[in-house]
Amino acid sequence: DWKRSHFVPLLVMAECPCLAKLHALGLADCHVNSDGISAFLTSPHLTGLTELDLSGNHIGDRGARALAHSPLLTRLVRLDLSGNGIGPAGVRALAQSLELAATRGDPPRLRSLPLHGNPLGESGRRAVLSSPIVSRAADLPPPERVGRGAPKK
């Protein structure tokens, strides 16, 4: 089936020791869903990754929560989550995880967090802006576009 056909390559990739040599990985528009990113994040080989582009996928709030619980999150300098169907719950989970890591003495390195094209709504926007770590890194759409996605061309 379609979902499984896009999930299997992520599982195979997650098992590859060569991932340890990567610093940046682009998975933009690769039909990654929450199950796929959750499985991928269990890889023991993501130790060198500092940039991850997941833009244009379908990870949603479940995938954002998987990222929030992954040790990878605090090592990333750039995480592109634009156009992923992430709502207020997902962005809150990311913000809470990063703030908690900072209080535990594991300061996050995140400097760039594009969030355009996600239905954050006003409460998601508030969650981003209330987190010092996330608000510094986040690239948010203007308030009038929150929740409407990217503009049509």
Side-chain angles (χ1 to χ4, degrees):
D1 91 14
W2 181 86
K3 281 187 179 181
R4 182 132 178 88
S5 70
H6 287 83
F7 181 71
V8 171
L10 278 177
L11 290 177
V12 172
M13 187 187 311
E15 295 303 317
C16 182
C18 64
L19 277 178
K21 296 178 183 178
L22 290 181
H23 298 286
L25 180 61
L27 294 172
D29 299 312
C30 286
H31 305 285
V32 177
N33 62 18
S34 60
D35 292 332
I37 196 60
S38 296
F40 182 72
L41 292 170
T42 64
S43 174
H45 307 295
L46 300 175
T47 54
L49 203 61
T50 59
E51 295 184 26
L52 181 59
D53 183 351
L54 290 169
S55 62
N57 285 293
H58 316 284
I59 71 165
D61 288 339
R62 281 185 55 216
R65 282 192 294 274
L67 279 162
H69 296 306
S70 170
L72 175 65
L73 183 61
T74 57
R75 292 192 304 263
L76 291 174
V77 173
R78 185 174 197 289
L79 175 61
D80 191 338
L81 293 176
S82 55
N84 264 287
I86 297 171
V91 79
R92 256 192 310 278
L94 290 167
Q96 290 168 350
S97 177
L98 289 165
E99 294 298 330
L100 181 61
T103 64
R104 289 188 315 235
D106 185 15
R109 301 176 185 167
L110 197 62
R111 299 291 175 259
S112 176
L113 179 64
L115 290 167
H116 289 269
N118 286 298
L120 300 177
E122 190 53 38
S123 64
R125 188 175 182 78
R126 277 194 305 273
V128 168
L129 296 175
S130 68
S131 164
I133 293 167
V134 177
S135 64
R136 275 193 307 267
D139 180 8
L140 290 170
E144 63 274 7
R145 293 199 180 180
V146 170
R148 293 188 206 149
K152 304 279 186 228
K153 291 185 179 182

